[in-house]
Amino acid sequence: MSPSLPDRRAEQLAAFGRLLDVLDRLRAECPWDRKQTMQSLRHLTIEETYELSDAILRDDLPDVKKELGDVMLHLTFYAKIAAETNQFDIADVLNAQCEKLIFRHPHIYGDVTVQDEEDVKRNWEQLKLQEKGNSSVLGGVPVSLPALVKAMRIQEKARGAGFDWERQEQVWEKVQEELAEFGDEFAHADPARRNQERATAEFGDLLFSLVNFARFANINPEEALERTNRKFIRRFQFLETEAAREGHRLADLSLAQMDVYWEQAKKLPSSALPNQPPE
């Protein structure tokens, strides 16, 4: 068994120092590393973050370790670039983070009393509001977040300010209400009578209410949707593989014929299905 984390503190600090030393040398001697800027690294960092997310969803711990290393490299790289123009260095970054954590945990580092996790979240949002000087509780939600994630964060922040449903049943009733309103837009047999803009708005309301319900049910909607995406991909790839094995072109099959393979895929355990992402 590996030593506990406190017993490895010296090794952890040495490893972090080694990363800084390696990055210093690469920045000085490698043409590619020397060329990089914060702007050029940005899209690569986003890619690495998604790769880490994928590894976590797969519960692939060896891959999580590798992807954590890639993300850590990027974080130290940004600090290295900033240090070269005397803006800040990695020590400033880490110390600022420590100060922020201490400030936002007064129930640990101060005399504030909390009863549960919800108290901690409410305190966190209120302290964050003071810290950033935002005029709105929602001011700290990044504009560029994907819409599904943004909806979750908006609702969490509103809840931290005390604006939320009281019971899960109320949220489910809201989902049913939004579903009915969306359905009303498609009640006409004639598509020409539909209002696309209104239908889009109602669909957005429905999604927002579903995200709200997921939050009350302790479900991460982004993770849930991604798991369904992966399940669909595996089943569809099984359909493609089996059709080809039996000498069929997918384009030549009827929907009913394809559905036979789909139903077979649904009966198989996940371990028996393809596990490769699409090219």
Side-chain angles (χ1 to χ4, degrees), residues 154-165 215:
I154 287 170
Q155 293 168 9
E156 288 173 342
K157 285 183 173 294
R159 182 178 190 176
F163 186 75
D164 202 7
W165 299 92
R215 182 168 56 85

Side-chain angles (χ1 to χ4, degrees), residues 59-110:
D59 198 24
D60 185 340
L61 291 183
D63 212 27
V64 168
K65 180 177 73 171
K66 180 179 77 68
E67 299 301 343
L68 278 172
D70 290 340
V71 172
M72 185 71 71
L73 169 62
H74 279 244
L75 300 182
T76 55
F77 210 147
Y78 289 118
K80 170 66 177 174
I81 292 171
E84 292 168 355
T85 55
N86 296 316
Q87 302 299 312
F88 57 82
D89 65 10
I90 193 64
D92 297 319
V93 172
L94 298 179
N95 281 323
Q97 182 64 27
C98 290
E99 293 302 325
K100 180 170 70 175
L101 288 173
I102 291 170
F103 177 73
R104 293 189 190 174
H105 287 79
H107 55 290
I108 302 297
Y109 294 96

Side-chain angles (χ1 to χ4, degrees), residues 26 79 84 134 158-159 167 211 262-263 272:
L26 293 179
E84 292 168 355
N134 290 328
R159 182 178 190 176
R167 302 188 312 278
V211 170
W262 186 263
E263 290 300 320

Side-chain angles (χ1 to χ4, degrees), residues 173-218:
E173 289 172 5
K174 185 63 175 177
V175 171
Q176 299 304 311
E177 175 188 322
E178 297 296 352
L179 180 59
E181 291 178 4
F182 176 63
D184 287 343
E185 292 300 323
F186 290 86
H188 306 297
D190 182 5
R193 296 179 62 186
R194 296 174 189 157
N195 185 309
Q196 189 66 26
E197 183 175 347
R198 194 160 58 236
T200 300
E202 294 295 350
F203 186 68
D205 291 346
L206 174 59
L207 282 179
F208 194 84
S209 66
L210 281 169
V211 170
N212 225 342
F213 185 78
R215 182 168 56 85
F216 268 78
N218 199 29

Side-chain angles (χ1 to χ4, degrees), residues 217-235:
N218 199 29
I219 294 170
N220 184 308
E222 174 75 14
E223 180 178 326
L225 181 58
E226 179 57 19
R227 289 184 183 277
T228 296
N229 289 341
R230 290 171 176 271
K231 179 171 61 178
F232 184 93
I233 289 170
R234 291 196 300 270
R235 289 176 179 175

Side-chain angles (χ1 to χ4, degrees), residues 29-47:
E29 300 179 20
C30 174
W32 186 89
D33 290 279
R34 190 164 55 239
K35 182 181 176 181
Q36 299 313 304
T37 65
M38 289 191 181
Q39 290 70 28
S40 69
L41 287 172
R42 177 182 173 275
H43 76 281
L44 297 174
T45 306
I46 293 172
E47 181 180 325

Side-chain angles (χ1 to χ4, degrees), residues 141-156:
V141 179
V143 175
S144 60
L145 275 180
L148 195 63
V149 179
K150 186 187 292 186
M152 187 80 167
R153 293 296 294 131
I154 287 170
Q155 293 168 9
E156 288 173 342

Side-chain angles (χ1 to χ4, degrees), residues 260-275:
V260 171
Y261 294 113
W262 186 263
E263 290 300 320
Q264 291 176 10
K266 286 172 64 176
K267 294 176 182 177
L268 292 173
S270 296
S271 58
L273 293 172
N275 198 28

